[in-house]
Amino acid sequence: MTVQSLAQKIIARAAGRASVQVGDIVTCNVDLAMFHDSSGPRRLKPMLEELGAELWDKNKVVLVMDHYVPAQDEGSRKIVQIARDWARDQDLPHVYDSQGICHVVVPQHGHIQPGMFCVGGDSHSPTGGALGAYMFGIGSTEMLGVVVTGQIWLRVPQTIAMHWSGQLSAGVCAKDMMLSMIARFGMNGANYEAVEFTGSAVRALSLPERMTLCNMSAELGAQTGLVAPDKITRAWLKAHPGPQTSSSPIHLPAIEDSELPPHADLHSDPGSIDVQHEFDANGLSPQLAAPHSPAHGVPLADHANTKIDVAYIGACTGAKLQDMQFAAQVLKGHQVARGVQLLLAPASLRDQALAERDGTLQILLDAGAQVLPSACGACAGYGSSFGDGQTVISSTARNFKGRMGPASTQVFLASAYTVAASALKGCIADPREVLA
Amino acid sequence: MTQDSSPLPVTQHKIWHLPADVDTDALAPGAYMQHGIDVIAQHCLENLLPQFASAVKPGDVLVAGPNFGIGSSREQAAAVLVHLGVAAVIAPSYGGLFFRNAFNLGLLLLTCREIDLLQNKEQTIVYLRGQLVYLSPESVETNQPLVCAPVPDFLLAMVQAGGLLPHLKQQRALAAVTAHA
């Protein structure tokens, strides 16, 4: 038996093979296809009609309205309406309308299981890899191919291990790990291979923090990012069961558990990793990406006097419950600096409710946070964005020129800890100085 | 694979030079994403080359630096180029998602390691024969194409069909005929 990486094992099962080799071009059966209001119905519906085709398996489809909600103008209202009408006409069993961002809502509702082979109509779809699934983003036309045939082609990627030894310090989190990797390798550094996050510092991360790593595999240019499932994964899955309602039990969208490989097999065999990079978590400090690229890593101290107008805690990669808790640790008992706007767009309604229950939200409100709808919001750059010439520090994924506002908007990326500390000081600040 | 002996015609193309790391948001700006492709196309690369969308002509070719199309899954980033009539993009590397999207929409991407030869600003014209890139009429005659990564046959077939949607149509029509036979 040839040695196989975690990515290869999942691909091999989906392709109906015993094993696959790097570079093989294979056709895989898709266990789950996720799309949202922007990439989904408004694009798929006309193409399906043109083809005269039907969805291959509605149970394996999940639709999330998150990009154009709440609708801010006539154009977005239409797009959301198309999604709602189509979901109703198709009688889709798995629809999450204005519940939060797809990459967080879908796993939180138990749709993604270790070992599954999934696609998403969004570049941050590798988030599902945090659960030990192979999940990657595709465009709408390719999604059409998937929802018609249930299959997709793939070139079996290399596995690049990002091995993090040691332990993160207080005030440093998964977002800092990710920004440091992106700064080191660049936005296409992973060359569309599979990235697997390994080592003691990764094993110590909560499932949502692992999501932050896998999510921003997109900014490394990887096809996907993976973390092998372990007891943290199993505990999280138990706490987030699949979709069931009391009136009408709905089957899990993808596959029966028994069809998936046992979790114990879901790891990379010794010798199966093609490239391994070493990192020391002990030495990692809070990271900062300067305008206009996530790869534009700069020492935080270089911007200690950079005044900010807006501190934005948002997005699938920066506003989950734990991110809100990070911010609350920094802001507890404090007020944000005069003239600074602290905006919070929770990643999901579920996370928002949990933050309300454990007091996190109140701390942030007391500090002066303004709560925005739980949706992609300014991160997607599809409408609501920042002002001309404003300087923003944001826990989101991308700071491309013109994405989150006019070309003159200066967006820095950092962890929720660092965004909160900067809100407090009024200029870019190291959270460790506040937490100390 | 297309060989030099193939009967494919040689075509001549005007070049647009682009830098490294051109992202999807530059190709298809988010603010216009709620509109149709005709509107988004008018804003293609407006932050980088303001004159591009109005001046580009059908058949033109983009020659870009590494990592062309990094970023979002939005296939509009490739669709605008198809809409504007861009014949092909030549770059040393692409965002992986953009690469798939381009072929799915019928846009030929050529991965060329000898990009330095093309990025010489004096170079204003390029010659294509299928997936082979030539710098000059002389290089066509002596058959000295630039070194490009070969495009897998099935992707080339998809581009020639005009993308995945026409390709699926062909397949379904074929399946229907077979079912009746």
Side-chain angles (χ1 to χ4, degrees), chain A residues 10 13 31 112-117 252 254-263 266:
Chain A
I10 301 172
R13 186 197 66 84
D31 296 317
I112 299 171
Q113 303 284 321
M116 280 172 65
F117 184 90
L252 261 179
I255 32 186
E256 299 303 323
D257 249 8
S258 56
E259 293 177 35
L260 288 169
H263 291 188
L266 288 172

Side-chain angles (χ1 to χ4, degrees), chain A residues 7-87:
Chain A
Q8 286 174 308
K9 287 177 186 179
I10 301 172
I11 292 167
R13 186 197 66 84
R17 297 188 181 197
S19 64
V20 289
Q21 298 306 313
V22 171
D24 286 355
I25 290 180
V26 294
T27 301
C28 292
N29 292 314
V30 172
D31 296 317
L32 178 88
M34 173 198 84
F35 41 79
H36 50 63
D37 48 344
S38 181
S39 67
R42 70 158 166 157
R43 312 287 325 286
L44 293 176
K45 181 175 181 272
M47 289 193 282
L48 280 166
E49 286 169 359
E50 195 178 333
L51 267 183
E54 299 288 331
L55 294 178
W56 102 105
D57 188 343
K58 288 175 189 176
N59 262 320
K60 293 181 179 174
V61 167
V62 185
L63 167 63
V64 181
M65 281 77 129
D66 60 5
H67 272 62
Y68 283 107
V69 292
Q72 305 209 332
D73 51 34
E74 189 52 24
S76 28
R77 198 194 58 74
K78 270 189 195 156
I79 291 168
V80 176
Q81 198 55 49
I82 291 170
R84 288 177 181 151
D85 290 347
W86 190 73

